[in-house]
Each structure stands twice: as C-alpha cells, then as structure tokens.
Amino acid sequence: MVIISEVDTRMLYGEEAVAYGTEAASIASLFGRVQSHNIMANRGYIYVYEIGGGRSPQQIVTGRLACNVDVTFLPQTGAWLKYVLGSVTGAGTAGDPYIYAVADALTSLSITGNFELGTTDQQLTVLGCLANRCTMNCEEGKPVEVTLNFLAQKFTKDNAISAYSPVSTGIYHYVHGSLQTPSGTTIAEVPKASLVITNNIENYYAIGSIIGTGKPKSRDSRGTLSCRVKDGSWWNRFMQASVTDVTTVTDGTPTALATLRLNLTDGTRYLYLTFTTVQVDAVNTPSNIGAAAVNDVNIIGLTPSGTEVV
C-alpha cells in the first residue's frame, strides 16, 4: 500500500477564460508556497420516508452537489488578489504598479489537486472555483500567510497529473511589514494582524441538475489587530474616531479612519493591502500575568484594494 505524504501532493490553478465551469486551457499557476490544501465534495443525499413504512427510510436520493477548495500558502506575489477583488491593471513596475481593485464580477478558476500514487496517479480538477473568503495573517516571527476558500461548481478526476516546479521568488515576511492608519502613519507595537475579505458566494440550483452556478453576493472587509497598549488611542478611535483624548462615546457614527493599510515588502518588491473608510467596531483589552497588555481591535472597512510592485 502506498502512503502519500505532503511531498507527493501539489495544487495548481488556471483562469477559466472560455466560460465559468469550463476547464482552463492551462492549469500551471502557483498560489505561492502552499502549506496545506483540501478539496471537499458533498452530494447532499436525502433520506426518503413514507407514512406507514416504518422508521427506516424507504429510499436514498441525491441532493445538490457542493464543492469547496481550501488552500493556505505563503505569498510570493499578490496575483491571487485579482481573484478575491475582481480586477487588476498595471505592469507591476514602480511607475505603473499592479492595482488590484474591486469589481462585481469575479474570475473563476480551475484548480487541480495532484497526488503521485506510484503506478496510477490521481488528479482532481475542480471547476468553477470562485474566491469566497480570503484571510491574510501577519504575525511577528512568522512568514505572512494567506488562506483562500473557494466555492466551486463541479470536478473531474484523471490519472495524469500536471507538471509542477517551485519558483525561486522570495516570500513576504513580517520583518519588512508595517500597519498604517492613515496610509503613511505607522502604528507601532503590532505583534499580529489579520485582514479578511468575504465575497459571500452562493451556488444557485435549478430543476434538472444537481450542479449549481456560483454567484458573488455582497462583499465585506474586516480585520483583527493585536496592538500593545501604549496609550488610549484605540479606545479614542472607538469612542469618537479621534486619536486625541476623549471622554464620551458619540451618539452617531464616528468619523471613519480614511484608510488602514498593511504594507509587505522585502526592500525591493512590495504589496500593500488597503481598506478605506474604516471603523473600529470593537476593542478588547486583556491583561494577564507575564504578558504585555494588548488592545485586540476589530475593524470593518468599506472598500479593499491592493497595490504591488514586483
């Protein structure tokens, strides 16, 4: 019996240029240095009962096919932001950086999960993959990590696997990162930050098929910041969106922070992920013996975007 380890698996993707759910002509792109991946499928079988037929079901019938892909990776570029936000323009140079911007439509992907099994290999190709949720984690002492969750339409299975070759591009690391609000003003003493963009993809089904069609619904952008306590600025922002000292909570909606930007760079290349019109939704200030006091801050933003020079 062949036992498969992580060295015998890999995950690749390609854009579905012809149509949603039609396999990409080339599936050879890398998300980054992949740390984990998972392909899930569920037929949603339904028990059928009958009055007078006893407690046991009389039949099992198929329900709706549901497919998901999860991949966690260390980003080497920001190319994945196109599939989370919707669009990209520019050339990736200092004079013409890549600009990742929100769009109503999302590009669907074909994603392969390859398994070298020895004599007969296995490749699962998941079609109609739309980015449902993106989580970017930046924490002291660790590489930056991104987790993408895709809602998919269907999948195929093959015995021939795609070629795979890692690239030498370096990963983004916390050492060169910073968190700024507004852009250009660095927030000191931030041991970790997590930004989450959710597209709220839903599969819509119709009579005649177990296979649905994915559509993005309303987008939301949120984050969790852990900031060592230096002053009362985060509580001030929560109360009245002011970095100066305040004593009362405003009755209305506080003035929003113009931007919150996570900067990642290796000194030459850089990737900025920006939320605009940011509100401090919640503040939690735990104090524990043997640990520095922190403000755990939940933020909510209006519009996410990305800027990258490679």
Side-chain angles (χ1 to χ4, degrees):
M1 182 181 69
V2 178
I3 297 176
I4 304 303
S5 71
E6 73 277 6
V7 300
D8 302 309
T9 72
R10 70 283 311 244
M11 179 164 278
L12 302 166
Y13 75 88
E15 292 188 11
E16 295 179 343
V18 174
Y20 165 82
T22 299
E23 184 171 333
S26 174
I27 307 176
S29 298
L30 282 66
F31 287 103
R33 299 200 186 282
V34 173
Q35 305 298 290
S36 66
H37 60 77
N38 189 15
I39 296 174
M40 298 155 279
N42 187 337
R43 293 185 68 100
Y45 280 112
I46 303 167
Y47 278 132
V48 178
Y49 297 88
E50 179 183 350
I51 294 176
R55 293 180 59 245
S56 297
Q58 307 301 307
Q59 189 178 354
I60 297 175
V61 297
T62 192
R64 302 180 299 186
L65 179 66
C67 300
N68 297 79
V69 177
D70 289 339
V71 56
T72 297
F73 57 94
L74 312 181
Q76 296 162 291
T77 72
W80 45 275
L81 270 174
K82 173 185 176 181
Y83 312 113
V84 176
L85 298 180
S87 71
V88 60
T89 57
T93 63
D96 186 20
Y98 290 130
I99 301 297
Y100 301 97
V102 296
D104 288 342
L106 297 176
T107 300
S108 62
L109 304 178
S110 297
I111 298 176
T112 61
N114 301 328
F115 303 87
E116 291 192 19
L117 303 180
T119 304
T120 303
D121 298 324
Q122 174 178 281
Q123 176 169 285
L124 295 174
T125 302
V126 190
L127 307 176
C129 296
L130 294 173
N132 183 50
R133 182 181 293 106
C134 164
T135 303
M136 176 186 279
N137 291 315
C138 186
E139 184 173 352
E140 59 174 334
K142 296 181 179 180
V144 178
E145 188 175 82
V146 174
T147 297
L148 298 180
N149 164 259
F150 294 89
L151 192 67
Q153 185 187 48
K154 57 193 175 186
F155 68 95
T156 63
K157 183 176 176 293
D158 199 348
N159 293 329
I161 63 176
S162 302
Y164 177 85
S165 179
V167 297
S168 59
T169 305
I171 61 172
Y172 288 112
H173 194 263
Y174 89 100
V175 168
H176 302 288
S178 65
L179 193 69
Q180 298 179 352
T181 183
S183 299
T185 304
T186 299
I187 306 169
E189 297 293 336
V190 181
K192 61 181 178 180
S194 177
L195 300 181
V196 181
I197 302 168
T198 305
N199 285 314
N200 292 300
I201 307 296
E202 183 173 346
N203 271 345
Y204 293 88
Y205 300 83
I207 294 172
S209 178
I210 68 170
I211 297 172
T213 299
K215 294 291 183 182
K217 300 189 295 185
S218 299
R219 178 189 296 107
D220 61 73
S221 307
R222 301 175 183 272
T224 302
L225 319 175
S226 181
C227 310
R228 295 189 182 97
V229 176
K230 308 186 288 46
D231 51 37
S233 59
W234 281 111
W235 281 100
N236 293 336
R237 291 185 178 104
F238 173 76
M239 295 168 73
Q240 292 188 3
S242 171
V243 293
T244 57
D245 192 42
V246 295
T247 57
T248 59
V249 177
T250 183
D251 287 332
T253 301
T255 302
L257 303 170
T259 59
L260 185 136
R261 190 171 82 178
L262 179 63
N263 300 336
L264 305 173
T265 179
D266 62 3
T268 303
R269 303 177 306 128
Y270 67 77
L271 173 64
Y272 300 158
L273 183 59
T274 303
F275 286 0
T276 62
T277 316
V278 174
Q279 293 286 4
V280 178
D281 190 42
V283 184
N284 178 27
T285 306
S287 297
N288 297 286
I289 292 175
V294 296
N295 288 316
D296 290 326
V297 181
N298 293 345
I299 59 100
I300 182 169
L302 199 62
T303 305
S305 64
T307 305
E308 182 180 26
V309 166
V310 296

